């Protein structure tokens, strides 16, 4: 079964596509298995009908180190993401959607194709990654996302601060951390910093593992490797359980005696 990581925040422009594509890239870099060799272990899926990720992946072209699928209208496929043969990790890029229904206890995602796609994906999710930018404007939509969409489904989640520019100082960063921790939400220690390279990457047709070898590029890349390490993306899959024979039981007893 593949792990399905959904990158979600009601707020637009917080880095959902950037995180989905680049977490897929670093995970694929570590796990190996180029898509053209068949059976790639990492798949990125976009359910954003107008998303930038598909355009981005097309610009990267043959060098894309993972499989990319645009699937906003494939509900059956979305509900079966964890069963993609060969995949170990699936990253789902979601749209920034504007309105959630009134808080009347009903499903806040409401009606429509985008809501159906999101429901299908969430029904299949292993966990949710919630990017936020270090600015108070994003707090309310993030709160609605976590409290009304993620938590009621009982999904494990983690908030990740993205696009922090160290040149802006630490005030906004600290305020954002305090907000997230004040809500009692798990916060990644890794902060994905702002780099011009990331902003240009989609137009340049690059994912983070394809950046150059200069200092800035290495720093930009480091944030994604750190984040992947922190959220355990390269965890060793559990070995298939062998049927226990009588002898195997005895052997185990001897070793532990
Ligand atoms: N860490 C970063 N450093 C520099 N630029 C960034 C960073 N993260 C995101 N960006 C830029 O910010 C913009 C918004 O990011 P992105 O498209 O990933 O957000 P999104 O949440 O997917 O947006 P939408 O809701 O519109 O789909 C893009 O131009 C992207 O290149
Ligand atoms: Mg996007």
């Amino acid at each position: 079964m593949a792990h399905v990581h959904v990158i979600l925040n009601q707020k637009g422009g917080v880095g959902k596509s950037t995180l989905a594509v680049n977490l897929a890239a670093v995970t694929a870099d570590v796990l190996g298995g180029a898509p053209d060799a068949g059976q790639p272990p990492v798949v990125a899926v976009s359910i954003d009908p107008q998303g930038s990720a598909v355009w981005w992946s097309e610009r990267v072209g043959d060098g894309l180190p993972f499989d990319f699928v645009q699937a906003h209208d494939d509900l059956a496929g979305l509900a079966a993401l964890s069963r993609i043969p060969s995949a170990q990790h699936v990253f789902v890029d979601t749209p920034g959607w504007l309105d959630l229904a009134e808080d009347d206890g009903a499903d806040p995602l409401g009606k429509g194709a985008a809501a159906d796609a999101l429901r299908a994906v969430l029904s299949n999710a292993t966990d949710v990654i919630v990017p936020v930018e270090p600015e108070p404007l994003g707090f309310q939509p993030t709160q609605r996302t976590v409290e009304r969409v993620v938590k009621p489904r009982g999904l494990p989640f983690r908030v990740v601060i993205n696009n922090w520019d160290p040149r802006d100082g630490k005030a906004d960063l600290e305020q954002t951390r305090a907000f997230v921790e004040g809500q009692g939400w798990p916060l990644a220690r890794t902060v994905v910093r702002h780099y011009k390279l990331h902003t240009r990457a989609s137009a340049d047709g690059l994912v983070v593992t394809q950046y150059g070898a200069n200092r800035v590029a290495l720093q930009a890349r480091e944030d994604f490797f750190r984040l992947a390490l922190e959220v355990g993306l390269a965890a060793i899959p559990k070995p298939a359980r062998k049927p226990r024979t009588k002898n195997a039981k005895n052997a185990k007893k001897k070793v532990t005696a």
Side-chain angles (χ1 to χ4, degrees):
M1 294 281 272
H3 293 90
V4 179
H5 315 282
V6 181
I7 325 297
L8 187 73
N9 194 330
Q10 184 192 14
K11 178 134 177 31
V14 291
K16 295 179 290 290
S17 303
T18 303
L19 259 62
V21 166
N22 285 321
L23 282 175
V26 295
T27 308
D29 193 62
V30 171
L31 294 180
D36 47 9
Q39 309 211 318
V42 178
V43 179
V45 175
S46 169
I47 59 164
D48 184 351
Q50 291 132 32
S52 55
V54 63
W55 181 75
W56 186 351
S57 66
E58 278 163 6
R59 292 188 76 85
V60 177
D62 287 347
L64 197 67
F66 50 85
D67 236 11
F68 181 87
V69 188
Q70 178 69 38
H72 60 278
D73 52 2
D74 177 8
L75 286 185
L78 291 176
L81 290 179
S82 63
R83 297 195 293 280
I84 297 179
S86 89
Q88 290 176 36
H89 292 282
V90 178
F91 296 89
V92 186
D93 182 24
T94 62
W97 78 103
L98 287 177
D99 29 63
L100 285 177
E102 286 303 306
D103 194 0
D104 56 2
D107 181 349
L109 297 177
K111 295 196 180 116
D116 288 344
L118 203 46
R119 267 191 289 269
V121 160
L122 289 169
S123 73
N124 216 236
T126 311
D127 53 32
V128 178
I129 293 172
V130 183
V132 295
E133 285 189 311
E135 55 154 33
L137 260 183
F139 291 177
Q140 269 196 8
T142 303
Q143 194 168 37
R144 286 194 291 269
T145 305
V146 170
E147 297 295 337
R148 299 191 52 205
V149 179
V150 180
K151 277 198 183 170
R153 288 175 164 78
L155 289 167
F157 68 98
R158 197 182 314 237
V159 177
V160 177
I161 299 176
N162 173 46
N163 214 2
W164 173 60
D165 191 337
R167 290 170 301 188
D168 292 342
K170 288 204 163 173
D172 287 343
L173 177 66
E174 294 306 342
Q175 197 185 354
T176 306
R177 278 195 175 124
F179 167 73
V180 174
E181 282 164 2
Q183 299 291 317
W185 301 338
L187 174 65
R189 292 194 63 233
T190 304
V191 173
V192 179
R193 291 167 289 186
H194 171 87
Y195 285 101
K196 206 53 190 265
L197 271 171
H198 293 322
T199 321
R200 278 204 313 259
S202 55
D204 289 347
L206 291 174
V207 295
V208 79
T209 47
Q210 298 167 325
Y211 292 0
N214 57 71
R215 189 175 58 87
V216 172
L218 290 170
Q219 284 172 337
R221 182 156 49 214
E222 180 187 314
D223 289 346
F224 282 98
F225 277 106
R226 285 181 58 136
L227 183 60
L229 185 61
E230 188 178 352
V231 299
L233 291 177
I236 301 166
K238 281 190 193 146
R241 285 179 74 167
K242 284 187 194 146
R244 286 179 70 177
T245 60
K246 210 173 163 195
N247 283 349
K249 249 190 218 166
N250 290 342
K252 186 156 186 230
K253 260 188 207 150
K254 267 185 218 150
V255 174
T256 51

